[in-house]
């Protein structure tokens, strides 16, 4: 131990003299220390959370040294850095990944083995950190892993929700939500940093005051303040000793409680403001239309934006005092969708009201530091906030947004004089009885970069949703195709495949996924093929055991595992999948099932609690499943199972075991998809529409190794107006039989009418998702997929090629793209510090 001399702020750093050894001996000794002395436990019970916690502490100690080193290097070099602002980080479990990245998996396994424990069991004890809804939140988590691995100075800023994504239980076929109390047993990864707490203002009013120099200043007064307390989670890079930070904010009352009120005898009122403050970070919002427009959600967004920007400025001032001249050159804020878009106005406020900037100076900094990523084309998903709510909650921010809009409208009027329609269309304010703030437009106007998440999606943004803006500022628009981290989504979740690949190619694919391309050479090698199949079979057995455990249904691994797991949404068309299941059921029942590949159709996903249609899709799947699974004629031929409580750790078991990956959204609706990439990486073959990143997946692997079906974006566009689903049903015997079965009540014998709305939606000429339009081509493509599956050699070849061609879909590539085109930060060089 030693103490470093003080820096210019007078702080002295306490240094550890030696690094902790990575040997099994040392790990076991630390484990024993934490289990016995710190947590005060004696008996080893396999299911105890304390075993897991003790392993985490032993690993965390080793992360801590590296974490400090990374922090010090970035500080010392005064490097340009990125803050990734996101309302969601869907991290999943952290232990396996930390051990893998630290390179201490083997030694930890050995250490635990000595006391009769299996690392696998210990890892299984970790609860998922489920602070996200789906793709957008998981993408943020994969980004952090890749940034740390690429040594990029990127800090994630998010919210430490007390309750994350709800747990899903199925009762009589219906989804039942249960609170996710993920913090109840403690969360050993986080470090509370009370010393960096920030104050966040709400309410009050915006006023103008004259300062000592006689200048007018905006002030925001009579506010209700809330404390933002940061909790840091380490984000280790892969075998590079870099540890980045995920900083999550938790809300707390500034004053424990109101003593005046307490003394006056009103105990309940005295704690009311404490409760109101802490409510802000109580629960993650599910993404459903009905949840929009809620005040608490806006509070969350502002809370995150303000705390993170203030934190960045505090950190800046510690190093640069009041000199902001380099601030824009050294900072970049990436907005994960519009959720944190209020940061545009908040940075303006902080610079002008609190740091003496004039409007133009502040706007220059804002426009040079903000970058916005869009994640959806669904118009109903574009966030808008009532002006009235803003005025009540964030009055000073509303002033600023109005002023940004005034400057912006002046710019449009100059470019297109007299085009009032354009002004109305592009204004940040949607006029009407209840005027609304268009958060996407605020994000666009305030950012130097606007990107979509797959090539098709980025094109559709430019040509459709954001057309006017792309015309005004073509250079700001760009594409960054999503990816996934191969450390979690291949190396960690599919060790058997990782080893097989390793035997042929070595391990460099773990940090350079394009290396997988060399697998193509073995696609037709019979010996390699056989081993490839053995791995898939073992993974299927593992998943089958998990399913049997959860549902007490037995599953045969001879079947093709045909999998669709993702949030339940009409545009994702789980219903189309069910129609196909019913079609197969009908064929087998009629005796027309000869030669069909035996199939397990596995569907999993959560419906937003307020999304009625999505919830009836779940009920429908479960009802159809019950009929199919209890029909003896289906035994060994067809099974339909709903996988309850789908989450990140479930996907870690599911994607290595999948044969067929269902990516069947209505073309033009799925921005990218990332599950599609996880399946591809693990050797599943996609059946999919030309939507989102499916287009690029098909390009990468070749049309022969992808089951394509369905209308294109252009087809769908052309169909609108003349779409006649009833005619499609009547003109197609297979389709008619499926609809007849549904309409006859075959799947809801004792629950009359419950599927009516769903059935009607398929027959609706105005159906935005055009499910019926793709029925025929879907069934045909499925027939080809089934036949191909029965040609073992061909299927295995296709499977190997899918993995081999998945190199582009690593978030390492995605992060390089962001850095080359948007961020321009230098990798952290820890050696030289
Ligand atoms: C939000 C809403 C809100 C209101 C109504 C329906 C609705 C539907 C979806 C959403 C989520 C929008 C943001 C999102 O999660 N996008 C997903 O981002 C992933 C990562 O880029 C991408 O792979 C998915 O395709 C995209 O849906």
């Amino acid at each position: 131990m030693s103490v470093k001399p003080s820096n210019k702020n007078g702080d002295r750093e306490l240094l550890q003299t030696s690094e902790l050894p990575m040997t099994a001996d040392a790990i076991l000794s630390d484990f024993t220390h934490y289990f016995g002395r710190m947590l005060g436990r004696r008996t080893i019970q396999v299911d105890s959370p304390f075993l897991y916690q003790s392993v985490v502490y032993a690993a965390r100690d080793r992360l801590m040294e590296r974490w400090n080193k990374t922090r010090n290097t970035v500080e010392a070099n005064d490097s340009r850095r990125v803050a990734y602002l996101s309302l969601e980080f869907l991290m999943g479990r952290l232990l396996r990944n930390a051990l893998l990245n630290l390179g201490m998996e083997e030694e930890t396994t050995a250490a635990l083995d000595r006391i009769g424990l299996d690392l696998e069991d210990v890892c299984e004890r970790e609860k998922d950190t489920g602070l996200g809804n789906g793709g957008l939140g998981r993408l943020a988590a994969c980004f952090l892993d890749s940034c740390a691995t690429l040594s990029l100075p990127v800090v994630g800023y998010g919210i430490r929700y007390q309750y994350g994504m709800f747990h899903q239980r199925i009762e009589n076929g219906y989804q039942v939500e249960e609170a996710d109390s993920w913090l109840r047993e403690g969360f050993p990864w986080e470090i509370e940093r009370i010393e960096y707490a920030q104050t966040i203002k709400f309410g009050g009013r915006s006023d103008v005051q004259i300062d000592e120099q006689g200048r007018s200043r905006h002030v925001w007064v009579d506010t209700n303040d809330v404390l933002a307390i940061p909790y840091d989670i380490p984000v280790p890079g892969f075998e590079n000793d870099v540890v980045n930070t995920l900083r999550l904010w938790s809300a707390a009352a500034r004053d424990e409680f109101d003593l005046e009120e307490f003394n006056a005898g009103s105990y309940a009122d005295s704690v009311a403001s404490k409760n109101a403050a802490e409510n802000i970070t109580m629960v993650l919002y599910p993404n459903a239309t009905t949840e929009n427009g809620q005040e608490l959600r806006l509070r969350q967004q502002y809370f995150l934006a303000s705390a993170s920007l203030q934190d960045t400025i505090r950190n800046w001032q510690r190093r640069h005092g009041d000199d902001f001249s380099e601030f824009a050159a050294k900072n970049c804020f990436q907005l994960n969708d519009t959720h944190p878009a209020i940061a545009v106005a908040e940075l303006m406020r902080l610079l002008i009201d609190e740091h003496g900037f004039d409007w133009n100076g502040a706007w220059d900094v804002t426009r040079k530091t903000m970058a916005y990523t869009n994640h959806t084309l669904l118009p109903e998903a574009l966030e808008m906030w009532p002006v009235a709510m803003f005025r009540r909650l964030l009055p000073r921010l509303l002033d600023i947004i109005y002023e940004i809009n005034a400057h912006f409208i002046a710019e449009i009027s100059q470019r297109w004089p007299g085009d009032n329609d354009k002004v109305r269309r592009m204004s940040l304010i949607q006029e009407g009885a209840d005027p609304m703030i268009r958060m996407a437009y605020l994000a666009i106007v305030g950012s130097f970069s606007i990107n979509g998440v797959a090539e098709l999606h980025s094109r559709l943004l430019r040509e459709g949703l954001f057309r006017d803006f792309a015309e005004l500022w073509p250079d700001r628009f760009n594409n960054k195709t999503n990816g996934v981290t191969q450390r979690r989504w291949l190396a960690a979740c599919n060790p058997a495949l990782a080893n097989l690949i390793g035997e042929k190619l070595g391990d460099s694919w773990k940090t350079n996924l394009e290396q997988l391309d060399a697998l193509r050479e073995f696609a037709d090698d019979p010996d390699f093929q056989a081993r490839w199949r053995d791995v898939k079979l073992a993974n299927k057995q593992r998943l089958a055991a998990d399913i049997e455990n959860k549902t007490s249904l037995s599953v045969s691994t001879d079947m093709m595992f045909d999998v669709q797991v993702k949030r339940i949404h009409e545009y994702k068309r789980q219903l189309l999948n069910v129609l196909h299941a019913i079609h197969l059921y009908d064929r087998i029942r009629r005796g027309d099932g000869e030669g069909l590949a035996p199939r397990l159709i596995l569907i999993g996903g959560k419906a937003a609690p307020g999304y009625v249609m999505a919830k009836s899709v779940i009920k429908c799947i479960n009802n159809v499943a019950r009929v199919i699974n209890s029909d003896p004629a289906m035994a060994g031929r067809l099974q339909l199972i709903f996988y309850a409580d789908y989450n990140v750790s479930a996907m870690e078991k599911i994607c290595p075991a999948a044969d067929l990956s269902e990516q069947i959204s209505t073309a033009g609706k799925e921005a990218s998809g990332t599950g599609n990439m996880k399946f591809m990486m693990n050797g599943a073959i996609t059946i999919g529409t030309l939507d989102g990143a499916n287009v690029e997946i098909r390009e990468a692997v070749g049309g022969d190794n992808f089951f394509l079906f369905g209308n294109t974006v252009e087809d769908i566009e052309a169909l609108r107006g003349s779409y006649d689903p009833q005619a499609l049903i009547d003109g197609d015997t297979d389709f008619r039989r499926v609809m007849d079965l549904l309409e006859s009540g075959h799947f809801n014998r004792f629950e009359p009418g419950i599927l009516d709305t769903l059935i009607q939606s398929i027959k609706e000429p105005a159906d935005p998702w055009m499910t019926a339009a793709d029925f025929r081509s879907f069934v045909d493509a499925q027939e080809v997929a089934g036949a191909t599956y029965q040609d073992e050699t061909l299927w295995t070849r296709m499977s190997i090629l899918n993995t081999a061609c998945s190199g582009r879909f690593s978030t390492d590539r995605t992060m390089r793209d962001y850095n080359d085109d948007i961020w321009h930060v230098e990798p952290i060089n820890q050696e030289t510090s």
Side-chain angles (χ1 to χ4, degrees):
M1 195 269 288
S2 68
V3 179
K4 222 177 163 178
S6 59
N7 66 10
K8 71 171 183 195
N9 295 319
D11 309 334
R12 293 176 307 140
E13 197 194 347
L14 185 64
L15 299 170
Q16 312 285 345
T17 33
S18 62
E19 290 198 350
L20 290 173
M22 292 291 203
T23 59
D25 278 342
I27 294 167
L28 184 56
S29 137
D30 289 350
F31 168 87
T32 314
H33 166 79
Y34 286 118
F35 190 71
R37 296 210 186 90
M38 193 177 106
L39 298 172
R41 312 287 144 162
R42 288 185 305 138
T43 16
I44 294 182
Q45 292 163 314
V46 176
D47 196 38
S48 152
F50 307 111
L51 297 170
Y52 151 73
Q53 285 175 16
S54 305
V55 178
V56 172
Y57 287 127
R60 206 185 76 172
D61 283 348
R62 284 150 179 88
L63 280 170
M64 202 62 72
E65 310 169 331
R66 293 160 174 83
W67 203 358
N68 287 330
K69 222 181 202 176
T70 301
R71 236 194 290 257
N72 288 343
T73 311
V74 174
E75 292 290 286
N77 299 349
D78 194 23
S79 324
R80 174 172 162 85
R81 58 195 72 175
V82 176
Y84 194 81
L85 305 190
S86 178
L87 270 283
E88 303 188 12
F89 285 91
L90 192 42
M91 301 297 284
R93 291 174 173 155
L94 303 179
L95 179 55
R96 161 89 51 200
N97 187 249
L99 296 178
L100 177 82
N101 285 10
L102 281 169
M104 56 185 281
E105 231 182 343
E106 237 172 74
E107 294 294 314
T108 308
T109 306
L112 293 176
D113 190 53
R114 289 190 206 163
I115 49 171
L117 287 174
D118 182 1
L119 177 61
E120 193 62 43
D121 296 337
V122 171
C123 288
E124 278 288 313
R125 192 59 181 76
E126 180 170 6
K127 287 192 158 74
D128 272 41
T129 296
L131 308 182
N133 271 287
L136 169 143
R138 183 54 231 176
L139 184 75
C142 284
F143 278 11
L144 293 183
D145 182 78
S146 283
C147 287
T149 297
L150 294 169
S151 307
L152 298 178
V154 175
V155 48
Y157 278 111
I159 291 183
R160 182 179 178 272
Y161 302 105
Q162 270 193 58
Y163 296 92
M165 188 63 212
F166 65 84
H167 290 284
Q168 178 191 59
R169 219 161 27 84
I170 300 299
E171 226 169 74
N172 184 32
Y174 288 102
Q175 164 174 300
V176 178
E177 299 92 16
E178 275 170 5
D180 164 46
S181 39
W182 69 291
L183 289 167
R184 201 167 46 192
E185 287 173 351
F187 180 58
W189 292 104
E190 66 186 4
I191 308 265
E192 181 181 351
R193 295 214 184 273
I194 189 74
E195 65 274 31
Y196 297 143
Q198 299 291 341
T199 301
I200 315 298
K201 299 180 185 191
F202 289 100
R205 59 201 167 75
S206 171
D207 210 347
V208 180
Q209 288 178 357
I210 308 298
D211 69 8
E212 306 89 58
Q213 282 95 31
R215 290 175 310 199
S216 65
R217 279 186 83 93
H218 287 276
V219 285
W220 183 5
V221 292
D222 298 339
T223 51
N224 287 310
D225 297 349
V226 174
L227 269 191
I229 299 171
Y231 289 77
D232 288 357
I233 300 173
V235 181
F238 181 71
E239 292 181 351
N240 65 352
D241 286 358
V242 168
V243 180
N244 278 340
T245 301
L246 169 59
R247 178 160 288 183
L248 300 180
W249 298 101
S250 181
R254 207 181 53 169
D255 309 307
E256 269 310 306
F257 47 69
D258 193 328
L259 279 172
E260 216 170 294
E261 243 158 351
F262 183 69
N263 292 336
S266 173
Y267 181 73
D269 289 345
S270 73
V271 291
S273 70
K274 177 176 163 71
N275 286 341
E278 289 172 5
N279 268 342
I280 294 177
T281 52
M282 193 63 74
V283 60
L284 165 78
Y285 271 81
N287 52 12
T289 329
T290 50
E291 306 291 339
N292 273 349
Q294 295 210 1
E295 185 174 313
L296 193 60
R297 171 72 172 175
L298 178 58
R299 281 184 192 268
Q300 290 185 341
Q301 297 186 346
Y302 179 67
F303 177 81
L304 169 68
S306 182
S308 311
L309 291 172
Q310 291 191 62
D311 191 50
T312 306
I313 292 174
R314 169 196 59 77
N315 199 288
W316 178 264
Q317 289 192 300
R318 216 166 49 81
R319 286 171 294 131
H320 299 269
D322 291 332
D323 180 2
F324 281 84
S325 55
E326 290 281 291
F327 184 85
K330 294 273 172 97
N331 287 284
C332 181
F333 303 99
Q334 188 73 42
L335 308 176
N336 198 20
D337 219 300
T338 52
H339 314 156
I342 185 64
V344 168
E346 174 65 0
L347 184 57
M348 291 297 287
R349 184 188 75 81
L350 290 168
L351 294 177
I352 294 170
D353 295 2
E354 299 190 3
H355 300 286
F357 276 66
D358 63 12
W359 182 271
N360 290 335
W363 186 242
D364 190 51
V365 169
T366 302
R367 274 266 296 94
K368 282 184 174 147
T369 52
M370 296 281 163
Y372 157 55
T373 305
N374 172 283
H375 294 268
T376 181
L377 283 158
L378 301 183
E380 66 269 33
L382 289 186
E383 287 192 300
M384 302 219 260
W385 289 109
V387 167
M389 191 191 286
F390 248 84
R391 184 170 294 120
R392 192 158 23 88
L393 225 54
L394 306 167
R396 178 63 185 127
L397 281 292
L398 182 62
D399 290 346
I400 290 171
I401 291 173
Y402 274 139
E403 191 158 346
I404 293 173
N405 200 34
H407 286 265
F408 172 55
I409 286 174
E411 189 175 341
I412 313 175
S413 309
Q414 204 167 36
R415 167 85 189 260
W416 291 286
D419 194 341
N420 289 331
D421 197 43
K422 201 153 215 144
V423 170
R424 189 189 47 73
R425 280 204 315 264
M426 296 178 78
S427 171
L428 305 191
I429 313 293
Q430 176 183 290
E431 297 298 346
D434 189 9
M436 306 282 257
I437 303 177
R438 297 161 162 160
M439 299 307 281
Y441 293 5
L442 176 63
I444 294 174
V445 171
S447 298
F448 67 92
S449 164
I450 299 120
N451 76 281
V453 290
E455 275 164 21
L456 173 68
H457 169 235
S458 297
R459 176 169 71 80
L460 295 175
L461 282 181
R462 282 193 307 265
E463 293 173 356
L465 214 48
F466 298 154
R467 191 194 177 117
D468 291 322
F469 293 90
E471 205 184 335
L472 181 59
W473 298 310
D475 298 342
R476 288 194 204 177
F477 285 79
N478 64 91
N479 171 248
K480 296 286 166 283
T481 298
N482 283 166
V484 302
T485 168
Q486 69 268 33
R487 267 85 55 190
R488 180 177 294 260
W489 296 112
L490 183 51
C493 75
N494 198 346
L497 197 66
N499 286 337
L500 179 56
I501 294 169
E503 273 182 41
K504 295 288 181 196
L505 311 182
D507 279 342
S508 59
W509 58 270
K510 290 182 184 169
T511 48
N512 180 2
L513 199 65
E514 300 277 1
Q515 298 286 320
L516 289 183
D517 190 68
L519 276 181
R520 293 193 316 161
E521 194 188 316
F522 307 102
D524 296 306
D525 173 339
D527 178 55
F528 188 74
Q529 278 212 347
R531 296 186 62 198
W532 192 267
R533 280 193 294 271
D534 286 347
V535 169
K536 183 63 83 179
L537 180 62
N539 290 334
K540 287 168 81 166
Q541 280 158 352
R542 179 172 69 146
L543 179 61
D546 176 55
I547 293 172
E548 282 171 24
N549 196 0
K550 284 179 93 164
T551 64
S552 54
L553 289 168
S554 91
V555 165
S556 156
T557 51
D558 294 337
M559 293 182 148
M560 170 202 250
F561 281 20
D562 169 350
V563 186
Q564 184 178 27
V565 284
K566 48 183 80 239
R567 288 301 290 260
I568 310 292
H569 199 292
E570 288 163 282
Y571 84 81
K572 295 178 188 281
R573 297 200 297 195
Q574 281 88 0
L575 204 48
L576 181 59
N577 201 354
V578 176
L579 294 182
H580 174 245
I582 297 173
H583 164 71
L584 292 180
Y585 164 76
D586 175 54
R587 275 185 65 178
I588 297 169
R589 233 168 48 122
R590 287 191 342 252
D592 183 29
E594 263 342 285
L596 282 180
R599 234 187 242 254
L600 163 65
I601 302 175
L602 189 65
I603 305 179
K606 293 173 184 174
Y611 191 170
V612 177
M613 280 299 258
K615 289 184 132 176
S616 20
V617 169
I618 292 178
K619 173 63 174 162
C620 178
I621 296 167
N622 282 305
N623 274 25
V624 173
R626 199 177 45 200
V627 171
I628 291 180
N629 300 340
S630 57
D631 186 334
M634 301 300 133
R637 312 182 77 171
L638 180 66
Q639 232 177 347
L640 171 61
I641 296 181
F642 186 83
Y643 188 103
D645 202 32
Y646 171 65
N647 62 6
V648 171
S649 51
M651 185 57 155
E652 289 170 9
K653 295 196 190 83
I654 293 170
C655 72
D659 293 307
L660 188 66
S661 155
E662 299 272 351
Q663 308 300 336
I664 61 179
S665 52
T666 312
K669 300 298 177 191
E670 188 71 270
S672 162
T674 44
N676 47 3
M677 301 168 183
K678 294 164 200 166
F679 283 118
M680 180 197 199
M681 221 170 257
N682 285 277
I685 303 168
T686 306
I687 181 162
T689 50
L690 284 179
D691 199 16
N694 296 353
V695 177
E696 290 157 74
I697 286 177
R698 181 165 170 272
E699 251 164 40
V701 73
D704 289 349
N705 302 304
F706 185 109
F707 302 109
L708 179 68
F709 77 97
N711 287 282
T712 63
V713 173
E714 290 73 25
D715 297 337
I716 298 268
E717 215 45 64
L719 253 178
R720 290 206 198 283
S722 63
Y723 179 51
D724 184 357
Q726 191 60 56
L728 294 170
I729 295 165
D730 295 338
D732 183 329
T733 321
D734 289 334
F735 202 175
R736 214 184 52 236
R737 286 174 180 284
V738 168
M739 294 305 287
D740 285 349
L741 273 174
L742 270 169
E743 292 181 315
S744 71
H746 187 78
F747 303 105
N748 53 326
R749 277 274 164 263
F750 305 105
E751 300 168 303
I754 60 158
L755 300 178
D756 289 359
T757 317
L758 229 45
I759 295 168
Q760 188 47 43
S761 76
I762 299 168
K763 301 195 290 183
E764 177 56 60
D767 173 20
W769 323 114
M770 298 206 173
T771 305
D774 284 342
F775 175 83
R776 185 72 258 161
S777 68
F778 183 53
V779 168
D780 290 345
Q782 286 284 21
E783 176 112 36
V784 177
T788 310
Y789 183 72
Q790 286 168 315
D791 182 342
E792 206 176 62
T793 310
L794 176 58
W795 186 274
T796 310
R797 173 190 152 80
M798 291 169 72
S799 168
I800 295 170
L801 288 176
N802 266 273
T803 301
C805 298
S806 66
R808 263 207 88 220
F809 304 105
S810 164
T811 34
D812 297 347
R813 189 268 313 146
T814 311
M815 292 297 85
R816 271 196 205 96
D817 289 351
Y818 273 81
N819 196 38
D820 290 349
D821 299 346
I822 307 173
W823 300 342
H824 307 296
V825 297
E826 295 294 330
I828 305 162
N829 187 350
Q830 238 156 255
E831 304 317 313
T832 58
S833 71

